[in-house]
Amino acid sequence: MKFNVITLFPETIHSLTDYSILGRGIKSKIIEIETYNLRDFGLGKYKQVDDTPYGGGAGMLLKVDILDKAIEKVRAQNKGTFVILLTPKGQKYGQSQAKKLSRKDNITFVCGHYEGFDERIRELVDAEISIGDYVLSGGEIAAAAIIDSVSRLIPGVLGKEESHKDESFEDGMLEYPHYTNPREYKGMSVPEVLLSGNHGEIEKWRKEQAQKVTKDKRPDLK
Ligand code: ADE
């Protein structure tokens, strides 16, 4: 799977994706992340990428012609890529979209910055996604969050001992709780059943706990 990211701040993407589980996925060539610096498509001596809004108002907008040039280049180098605009006005992202995206083999993210972008960019992309009802200063954190959540669903990215099968949001539920040493800490103890060695009982307890925690914390999920 290849991810392309059009951004004014390519280092911020790599600082979030090149380590740990994703870093391993990149090293073993299961995933690839390429950044395209929007500044390289800018105009004139100062490589201008933004301009003031028609009708007045605060801030600068990313220019549609500059974004178009960048998207065209990425599309030319990545046949069939699925281009996603990151914006708080997009469709709300969740685990079900992560699963759908994990079946694609080439995805491109367009990260906005400053006040936003010229509205006409919407005609040039395949989808618009928001990672939540809050406004970020740019799309980079959203791109990294989506790359991370999609990558861990791609076979081979998680190690043998790691699995997303029991993770939160699988089967529409939150995950059961985990414990490790010490067995006692500040009066808090590890549930007896986990020390019992009885795998049937442990499995049953975990199922019940997943249901309980989902009902208590996220009743909207069920
Ligand atoms: N850019 C700014 N805010 C965002 C959000 N909530 N989701 C995706 N991209 C964004």
Side-chain angles (χ1 to χ4, degrees):
M1 159 84 87
K2 175 152 186 243
F3 300 100
N4 312 292
V5 186
I6 299 171
T7 167
L8 283 168
F9 304 101
E11 319 78 48
T12 62
I13 297 294
H14 291 294
S15 74
L16 290 167
T17 56
D18 292 2
Y19 302 92
S20 179
I21 291 174
L22 266 65
R24 259 179 11 219
I26 293 169
K27 242 193 190 150
S28 50
K29 301 201 184 318
I30 303 169
I31 55 173
E32 183 185 350
I33 298 167
E34 185 171 9
T35 48
Y36 289 77
N37 193 335
L38 190 62
R39 188 69 60 190
D40 295 342
F41 302 87
L43 296 174
K45 193 171 154 203
Y46 297 106
K47 295 280 174 196
Q48 187 189 354
V49 293
D50 55 353
D51 211 336
T52 52
Y54 276 115
M60 302 285 274
L61 302 178
L62 291 177
K63 285 161 57 60
V64 67
D65 50 338
I66 305 296
L67 289 162
D68 192 23
K69 270 199 287 178
I71 293 170
E72 282 301 308
K73 176 155 186 190
V74 179
R75 284 199 196 273
Q77 293 182 347
N78 297 270
K79 290 283 171 249
T81 190
F82 186 72
V83 180
I84 297 171
L85 178 66
L86 295 161
T87 161
K89 295 183 194 168
Q91 201 191 22
K92 182 109 70 92
Y93 186 68
Q95 193 68 14
S96 57
Q97 282 100 324
K99 277 187 193 158
K100 276 187 202 147
L101 292 179
S102 73
R103 286 178 219 123
K104 300 202 177 288
D105 44 48
N106 197 307
I107 300 176
T108 298
F109 297 99
V110 181
C111 300
H113 238 276
Y114 308 128
E115 274 308 295
F117 18 68
D118 185 310
E119 186 72 13
R120 292 167 288 183
I121 172 94
R122 303 212 141 85
E123 302 297 319
L124 310 175
V125 299
D126 303 312
E128 297 177 34
I129 291 182
S130 162
I131 60 162
D133 289 344
Y134 41 80
V135 179
L136 297 165
S137 306
E140 287 77 10
I141 292 172
I146 297 173
I147 292 171
D148 189 314
S149 53
V150 169
S151 294
R152 52 190 293 117
L153 299 177
I154 298 169
V157 170
L158 291 184
K160 260 202 214 96
E161 322 73 55
E162 304 150 336
S163 164
H164 55 81
K165 284 278 165 279
D166 285 334
E167 280 180 349
S168 291
F169 308 111
E170 287 293 324
D171 308 324
M173 285 214 276
L174 298 182
E175 194 183 10
Y176 55 78
H178 301 275
Y179 298 85
T180 184
N181 288 317
R183 270 168 75 158
E184 284 284 329
Y185 188 68
K186 291 188 172 172
M188 299 176 284
S189 43
V190 175
E192 271 309 310
V193 62
L194 298 179
L195 312 172
S196 68
N198 183 333
H199 293 294
E201 282 300 309
I202 291 172
E203 192 65 18
K204 188 166 152 256
W205 179 85
R206 286 179 167 165
K207 265 200 187 120
E208 286 163 5
Q209 289 294 312
Q211 278 164 355
K212 182 174 180 315
V213 81
T214 306
K215 192 162 162 263
D216 291 350
K217 295 189 179 185
R218 292 292 305 275
D220 57 302
L221 286 178
K222 270 267 140 179

